[in-house]
Amino acid sequence: MTESTKITKSGFDLPKFEKGCVPRHIAIVMDGNGRWANDRGLTRIEGHKAGEAALLDVVAGALEAGVEFLTVYAFSTENWKRSPEEVRFLMGFNRQVLRERRDQLNVWGVRIRWAGRRPKLWLSVIDELKSAEALTSKNSKLNLTMCVNYGSRIEILDAVNAITQDVASGKIKPGSITEKGIQKYLNSNFLPDVDLFIRSSGEQRISNFLLWQSAYAEFVFMDTLWPDFDRRSLWQAIELYAGRNRRFGAAIDKPKLGNSK
Protein backbone atom coordinates (compact mmCIF):
# COMPACT_ATOMS: atom_id res chain seq x y z
CA MET A 1 0.00 0.00 0.00
CA THR A 2 1.41 3.39 -0.96
CA GLU A 3 1.63 6.36 1.37
CA SER A 4 -1.04 8.16 -0.69
CA THR A 5 -3.65 5.48 0.02
CA LYS A 6 -2.97 4.90 3.73
CA ILE A 7 -4.55 8.18 4.84
CA THR A 8 -8.06 6.99 3.94
CA LYS A 9 -7.97 4.74 7.03
CA SER A 10 -7.41 5.69 10.65
CA GLY A 11 -7.57 4.28 14.14
CA PHE A 12 -10.95 5.93 14.67
CA ASP A 13 -14.11 3.83 14.60
CA LEU A 14 -16.63 4.97 12.02
CA PRO A 15 -20.07 5.32 13.65
CA LYS A 16 -22.72 2.91 12.41
CA PHE A 17 -24.97 5.30 10.55
CA GLU A 18 -28.44 3.97 9.80
CA LYS A 19 -29.37 3.54 6.16
CA GLY A 20 -30.40 6.82 4.61
CA CYS A 21 -28.97 8.92 7.46
CA VAL A 22 -25.75 9.97 5.73
CA PRO A 23 -26.24 13.29 3.90
CA ARG A 24 -25.68 13.15 0.18
CA HIS A 25 -24.20 16.65 0.01
CA ILE A 26 -22.19 18.31 2.79
CA ALA A 27 -21.02 21.92 2.54
CA ILE A 28 -18.32 23.24 4.88
CA VAL A 29 -17.16 26.73 5.79
CA MET A 30 -13.59 26.01 6.91
CA ASP A 31 -13.30 28.77 9.51
CA GLY A 32 -10.86 29.44 12.33
CA ASN A 33 -7.42 29.16 10.74
CA GLY A 34 -6.43 32.67 11.78
CA ARG A 35 -7.58 32.34 15.39
CA TRP A 36 -5.95 28.93 15.70
CA ALA A 37 -2.63 30.43 14.62
CA ASN A 38 -2.89 33.65 16.64
CA ASP A 39 -3.71 31.68 19.80
CA ARG A 40 -0.36 29.93 19.31
CA GLY A 41 1.59 33.10 18.61
CA LEU A 42 1.67 32.35 14.89
CA THR A 43 0.62 34.30 11.83
CA ARG A 44 -2.64 33.69 10.00
CA ILE A 45 -0.65 32.21 7.14
CA GLU A 46 0.58 29.42 9.43
CA GLY A 47 -3.04 28.70 10.30
CA HIS A 48 -3.95 28.26 6.65
CA LYS A 49 -1.08 25.82 6.25
CA ALA A 50 -2.36 23.79 9.20
CA GLY A 51 -5.82 23.73 7.66
CA GLU A 52 -4.62 21.65 4.71
CA ALA A 53 -4.21 18.52 6.84
CA ALA A 54 -7.68 19.02 8.27
CA LEU A 55 -9.20 19.14 4.80
CA LEU A 56 -7.47 15.93 3.74
CA ASP A 57 -8.67 14.11 6.85
CA VAL A 58 -12.23 15.36 6.35
CA VAL A 59 -12.15 14.16 2.73
CA ALA A 60 -11.00 10.76 3.97
CA GLY A 61 -13.78 10.72 6.56
CA ALA A 62 -16.38 11.66 3.96
CA LEU A 63 -15.20 8.75 1.80
CA GLU A 64 -15.49 6.36 4.73
CA ALA A 65 -18.98 7.60 5.61
CA GLY A 66 -20.26 7.31 2.04
CA VAL A 67 -20.87 11.00 1.35
CA GLU A 68 -21.36 11.70 -2.37
CA PHE A 69 -20.70 15.45 -2.51
CA LEU A 70 -18.39 17.55 -0.34
CA THR A 71 -18.20 21.28 -1.07
CA VAL A 72 -15.71 23.51 0.74
CA TYR A 73 -15.33 27.28 0.91
CA ALA A 74 -11.68 27.83 -0.03
CA PHE A 75 -11.70 31.53 -1.01
CA SER A 76 -14.68 33.86 -1.17
CA THR A 77 -15.28 36.89 -3.36
CA GLU A 78 -15.11 38.91 -0.12
CA ASN A 79 -11.69 37.53 0.84
CA TRP A 80 -10.05 40.00 -1.56
CA LYS A 81 -10.59 42.55 1.24
CA ARG A 82 -7.88 40.88 3.32
CA SER A 83 -4.31 42.12 3.41
CA PRO A 84 -2.37 41.85 0.13
CA GLU A 85 0.09 39.51 1.86
CA GLU A 86 -2.65 37.10 2.96
CA VAL A 87 -4.38 37.20 -0.44
CA ARG A 88 -1.10 36.44 -2.22
CA PHE A 89 -0.47 33.56 0.14
CA LEU A 90 -3.97 32.12 -0.26
CA MET A 91 -3.73 32.29 -4.06
CA GLY A 92 -0.37 30.56 -4.05
CA PHE A 93 -1.45 28.12 -1.37
CA ASN A 94 -4.59 27.04 -3.22
CA ARG A 95 -2.47 26.53 -6.32
CA GLN A 96 0.13 24.54 -4.40
CA VAL A 97 -2.39 22.32 -2.60
CA LEU A 98 -4.11 21.45 -5.87
CA ARG A 99 -0.83 20.62 -7.53
CA GLU A 100 0.51 18.51 -4.65
CA ARG A 101 -2.70 16.72 -3.61
CA ARG A 102 -4.56 16.06 -6.85
CA ASP A 103 -2.69 12.80 -7.52
CA GLN A 104 -3.46 11.61 -4.01
CA LEU A 105 -7.13 12.50 -4.33
CA ASN A 106 -7.22 10.86 -7.73
CA VAL A 107 -5.96 7.59 -6.19
CA TRP A 108 -8.77 7.83 -3.63
CA GLY A 109 -11.34 8.08 -6.42
CA VAL A 110 -12.22 11.72 -5.68
CA ARG A 111 -13.52 13.92 -8.47
CA ILE A 112 -12.39 17.53 -8.07
CA ARG A 113 -14.63 20.35 -9.33
CA TRP A 114 -14.35 24.12 -9.20
CA ALA A 115 -17.10 26.63 -8.50
CA GLY A 116 -16.29 30.32 -8.67
CA ARG A 117 -15.69 33.33 -10.89
CA ARG A 118 -12.81 33.90 -13.29
CA PRO A 119 -12.49 37.72 -12.88
CA LYS A 120 -9.61 38.64 -10.50
CA LEU A 121 -8.65 35.00 -9.90
CA TRP A 122 -5.04 34.24 -10.75
CA LEU A 123 -4.70 32.43 -14.08
CA SER A 124 -2.20 30.04 -12.51
CA VAL A 125 -4.84 29.01 -9.94
CA ILE A 126 -7.43 28.53 -12.68
CA ASP A 127 -4.95 26.38 -14.59
CA GLU A 128 -4.40 24.15 -11.54
CA LEU A 129 -8.14 23.87 -10.92
CA LYS A 130 -8.77 22.89 -14.53
CA SER A 131 -5.89 20.39 -14.48
CA ALA A 132 -7.28 18.79 -11.32
CA GLU A 133 -10.75 18.62 -12.89
CA ALA A 134 -9.38 16.96 -16.02
CA LEU A 135 -7.25 14.45 -14.11
CA THR A 136 -10.10 13.31 -11.84
CA SER A 137 -13.04 13.66 -14.25
CA LYS A 138 -13.80 9.92 -14.36
CA ASN A 139 -13.78 9.40 -10.58
CA SER A 140 -17.05 8.79 -8.76
CA LYS A 141 -16.38 7.87 -5.10
CA LEU A 142 -16.68 11.47 -3.90
CA ASN A 143 -17.28 14.79 -5.64
CA LEU A 144 -15.07 17.42 -3.98
CA THR A 145 -15.95 20.95 -5.07
CA MET A 146 -13.45 23.68 -4.28
CA CYS A 147 -15.22 27.04 -4.10
CA VAL A 148 -12.47 29.48 -5.06
CA ASN A 149 -13.37 33.13 -5.73
CA TYR A 150 -16.94 32.16 -4.98
CA GLY A 151 -19.80 34.22 -3.57
CA SER A 152 -23.41 33.12 -3.63
CA ARG A 153 -24.99 36.52 -4.23
CA ILE A 154 -22.76 37.24 -7.21
CA GLU A 155 -23.40 33.70 -8.48
CA ILE A 156 -27.15 34.39 -8.44
CA LEU A 157 -26.61 37.86 -9.95
CA ASP A 158 -24.53 36.39 -12.79
CA ALA A 159 -27.30 33.85 -13.40
CA VAL A 160 -29.97 36.57 -13.51
CA ASN A 161 -27.93 38.61 -15.98
CA ALA A 162 -27.41 35.57 -18.21
CA ILE A 163 -31.13 34.77 -18.10
CA THR A 164 -32.14 38.34 -19.01
CA GLN A 165 -29.76 38.20 -21.98
CA ASP A 166 -31.36 34.97 -23.16
CA VAL A 167 -34.83 36.44 -22.70
CA ALA A 168 -33.82 39.48 -24.75
CA SER A 169 -32.42 37.27 -27.53
CA GLY A 170 -35.55 35.12 -27.60
CA LYS A 171 -33.96 31.95 -26.24
CA ILE A 172 -36.29 32.05 -23.22
CA LYS A 173 -39.90 33.17 -23.17
CA PRO A 174 -40.74 35.83 -20.56
CA GLY A 175 -42.67 34.34 -17.66
CA SER A 176 -41.45 30.79 -18.34
CA ILE A 177 -38.48 30.76 -15.96
CA THR A 178 -38.58 28.03 -13.27
CA GLU A 179 -36.46 27.20 -10.24
CA LYS A 180 -34.77 24.42 -12.18
CA GLY A 181 -34.22 26.85 -15.01
CA ILE A 182 -32.45 29.30 -12.71
CA GLN A 183 -30.30 26.53 -11.26
CA LYS A 184 -29.01 25.65 -14.73
CA TYR A 185 -27.47 29.12 -14.95
CA LEU A 186 -25.64 28.90 -11.63
CA ASN A 187 -21.88 28.50 -11.69
CA SER A 188 -22.30 25.48 -9.41
CA ASN A 189 -25.15 23.96 -11.45
CA PHE A 190 -23.61 20.49 -11.15
CA LEU A 191 -24.27 20.40 -7.41
CA PRO A 192 -27.40 18.96 -5.79
CA ASP A 193 -29.06 20.82 -2.91
CA VAL A 194 -27.06 20.89 0.32
CA ASP A 195 -28.25 18.44 2.98
CA LEU A 196 -25.81 19.32 5.77
CA PHE A 197 -24.13 22.72 6.15
CA ILE A 198 -21.21 22.79 8.61
CA ARG A 199 -19.23 25.74 9.91
CA SER A 200 -16.24 25.33 12.18
CA SER A 201 -14.88 27.82 14.75
CA GLY A 202 -18.11 28.60 16.61
CA GLU A 203 -19.28 31.39 14.30
CA GLN A 204 -22.95 31.07 13.41
CA ARG A 205 -23.36 32.62 9.98
CA ILE A 206 -23.28 31.32 6.42
CA SER A 207 -21.09 34.07 4.93
CA ASN A 208 -22.62 34.18 1.44
CA PHE A 209 -21.99 30.47 0.79
CA LEU A 210 -24.40 28.37 -1.30
CA LEU A 211 -27.48 30.44 -0.44
CA TRP A 212 -29.64 29.00 -3.23
CA GLN A 213 -28.51 25.43 -2.66
CA SER A 214 -28.98 25.52 1.13
CA ALA A 215 -32.68 26.43 1.21
CA TYR A 216 -33.52 23.28 3.20
CA ALA A 217 -30.10 22.34 4.55
CA GLU A 218 -29.60 21.31 8.16
CA PHE A 219 -27.06 23.60 9.85
CA VAL A 220 -24.45 22.46 12.35
CA PHE A 221 -22.15 25.05 13.91
CA MET A 222 -19.16 23.55 15.71
CA ASP A 223 -16.79 25.28 18.13
CA THR A 224 -13.74 23.43 16.78
CA LEU A 225 -11.27 25.66 14.91
CA TRP A 226 -10.62 24.35 11.42
CA PRO A 227 -7.00 23.12 11.90
CA ASP A 228 -8.29 20.96 14.81
CA PHE A 229 -11.18 19.63 12.72
CA ASP A 230 -10.89 16.02 11.55
CA ARG A 231 -13.03 13.12 10.35
CA ARG A 232 -14.38 12.59 13.87
CA SER A 233 -15.75 16.15 13.81
CA LEU A 234 -17.36 15.42 10.46
CA TRP A 235 -18.91 12.20 11.76
CA GLN A 236 -20.22 14.02 14.84
CA ALA A 237 -21.95 16.54 12.56
CA ILE A 238 -23.43 13.69 10.52
CA GLU A 239 -24.78 12.11 13.72
CA LEU A 240 -26.43 15.40 14.65
CA TYR A 241 -27.88 15.58 11.15
CA ALA A 242 -29.21 12.04 11.44
CA GLY A 243 -31.20 13.07 14.52
CA ARG A 244 -32.98 15.90 12.71
CA ASN A 245 -36.50 15.63 11.31
CA ARG A 246 -36.39 17.03 7.77
CA ARG A 247 -39.92 17.96 6.68
CA PHE A 248 -39.21 20.30 3.74
CA GLY A 249 -42.19 22.48 4.67
CA ALA A 250 -44.57 19.62 5.43
CA ALA A 251 -45.93 18.86 8.91
CA ILE A 252 -47.65 16.01 10.71
CA ASP A 253 -50.33 16.68 13.34
CA LYS A 254 -49.47 14.69 16.50
CA PRO A 255 -51.38 16.02 19.55
CA LYS A 256 -50.06 14.69 22.87
CA LEU A 257 -52.48 12.31 24.57
CA GLY A 258 -54.03 13.48 27.81
CA ASN A 259 -53.58 17.21 27.12
CA SER A 260 -56.94 17.89 25.48
CA LYS A 261 -59.52 19.90 27.42
Side-chain angles (χ1 to χ4, degrees), residues 36-156:
W36 182 92
N38 290 166
D39 288 347
R40 289 161 176 76
L42 304 172
T43 64
R44 294 176 57 83
I45 287 174
E46 293 302 317
H48 294 308
K49 291 179 180 178
E52 178 188 354
L55 175 58
L56 282 173
D57 201 66
V58 165
V59 170
L63 282 164
E64 290 183 277
V67 176
E68 292 183 45
F69 292 85
L70 178 65
T71 304
V72 295
Y73 213 1
F75 188 90
S76 78
T77 49
E78 287 75 36
N79 286 157
W80 295 105
K81 299 175 184 177
R82 297 186 178 184
S83 71
E85 294 78 15
E86 186 172 358
V87 169
R88 281 196 298 270
F89 171 80
L90 287 171
M91 286 293 102
F93 186 60
N94 277 299
R95 179 181 59 199
Q96 176 186 339
V97 169
L98 286 162
R99 183 183 301 139
E100 293 180 353
R101 299 299 186 182
R102 64 188 177 198
D103 290 335
Q104 184 176 28
L105 293 171
N106 187 43
V107 169
W108 291 0
V110 175
R111 182 178 185 182
I112 301 172
R113 304 293 296 268
W114 168 43
R117 305 184 86 226
R118 283 179 172 270
K120 295 184 72 173
L121 188 57
W122 288 12
L123 289 178
S124 58
V125 176
I126 294 175
D127 288 343
E128 292 297 339
L129 285 162
K130 290 299 182 182
S131 294
E133 284 187 325
L135 175 67
T136 63
S137 62
K138 295 183 180 180
N139 294 337
S140 58
K141 288 186 178 179
L142 174 68
N143 292 273
L144 172 64
T145 301
M146 305 290 294
C147 289
V148 183
N149 198 28
Y150 174 89
S152 194
R153 283 186 171 183
I154 196 67
E155 177 186 36
I156 295 170

Side-chain angles (χ1 to χ4, degrees), residues 8-260:
T8 56
K9 300 297 180 181
S10 71
F12 307 132
D13 293 328
L14 177 70
K16 294 182 179 179
F17 299 117
E18 294 185 11
K19 186 177 180 180
C21 287
V22 174
R24 183 185 182 208
H25 183 190
I26 297 178
I28 303 181
V29 178
M30 304 179 291
D31 193 24
N33 290 338
R35 271 173 286 164
W36 182 92
N38 290 166
D39 288 347
R40 289 161 176 76
L42 304 172
T43 64
R44 294 176 57 83
I45 287 174
E46 293 302 317
H48 294 308
K49 291 179 180 178
E52 178 188 354
L55 175 58
L56 282 173
D57 201 66
V58 165
V59 170
L63 282 164
E64 290 183 277
V67 176
E68 292 183 45
F69 292 85
L70 178 65
T71 304
V72 295
Y73 213 1
F75 188 90
S76 78
T77 49
E78 287 75 36
N79 286 157
W80 295 105
K81 299 175 184 177
R82 297 186 178 184
S83 71
E85 294 78 15
E86 186 172 358
V87 169
R88 281 196 298 270
F89 171 80
L90 287 171
M91 286 293 102
F93 186 60
N94 277 299
R95 179 181 59 199
Q96 176 186 339
V97 169
L98 286 162
R99 183 183 301 139
E100 293 180 353
R101 299 299 186 182
R102 64 188 177 198
D103 290 335
Q104 184 176 28
L105 293 171
N106 187 43
V107 169
W108 291 0
V110 175
R111 182 178 185 182
I112 301 172
R113 304 293 296 268
W114 168 43
R117 305 184 86 226
R118 283 179 172 270
K120 295 184 72 173
L121 188 57
W122 288 12
L123 289 178
S124 58
V125 176
I126 294 175
D127 288 343
E128 292 297 339
L129 285 162
K130 290 299 182 182
S131 294
E133 284 187 325
L135 175 67
T136 63
S137 62
K138 295 183 180 180
N139 294 337
S140 58
K141 288 186 178 179
L142 174 68
N143 292 273
L144 172 64
T145 301
M146 305 290 294
C147 289
V148 183
N149 198 28
Y150 174 89
S152 194
R153 283 186 171 183
I154 196 67
E155 177 186 36
I156 295 170
L157 178 61
D158 287 343
V160 170
N161 283 326
I163 290 170
T164 56
Q165 289 175 3
D166 283 349
V167 169
S169 65
K171 293 180 181 179
I172 299 177
K173 293 182 179 180
S176 67
I177 301 168
T178 64
E179 287 188 16
K180 288 185 178 180
I182 292 174
Q183 187 165 350
K184 290 179 181 178
Y185 283 84
L186 297 176
N187 180 267
S188 58
N189 56 22
F190 51 86
L191 290 174
D193 284 349
V194 175
D195 298 301
L196 172 59
F197 188 113
I198 302 171
R199 183 175 187 136
S200 60
S201 86
E203 300 292 349
Q204 297 187 23
R205 56 180 179 270
I206 57 179
S207 296
N208 196 22
F209 186 43
L210 299 176
L211 302 178
W212 178 276
Q213 302 85 344
S214 299
Y216 274 100
E218 295 294 327
F219 289 81
V220 173
F221 300 104
M222 307 185 78
D223 291 334
T224 308
L225 299 176
W226 181 249
D228 292 328
F229 209 93
D230 61 19
R231 69 189 76 191
R232 292 172 297 177
S233 308
L234 178 73
W235 296 340
Q236 181 185 355
I238 293 175
E239 287 182 305
L240 291 170
Y241 166 88
R244 305 278 179 87
N245 181 13
R246 304 186 75 199
R247 298 188 299 274
F248 299 97
I252 299 175
D253 197 15
K254 290 185 177 180
K256 291 183 179 180
L257 297 177
N259 287 343
S260 59

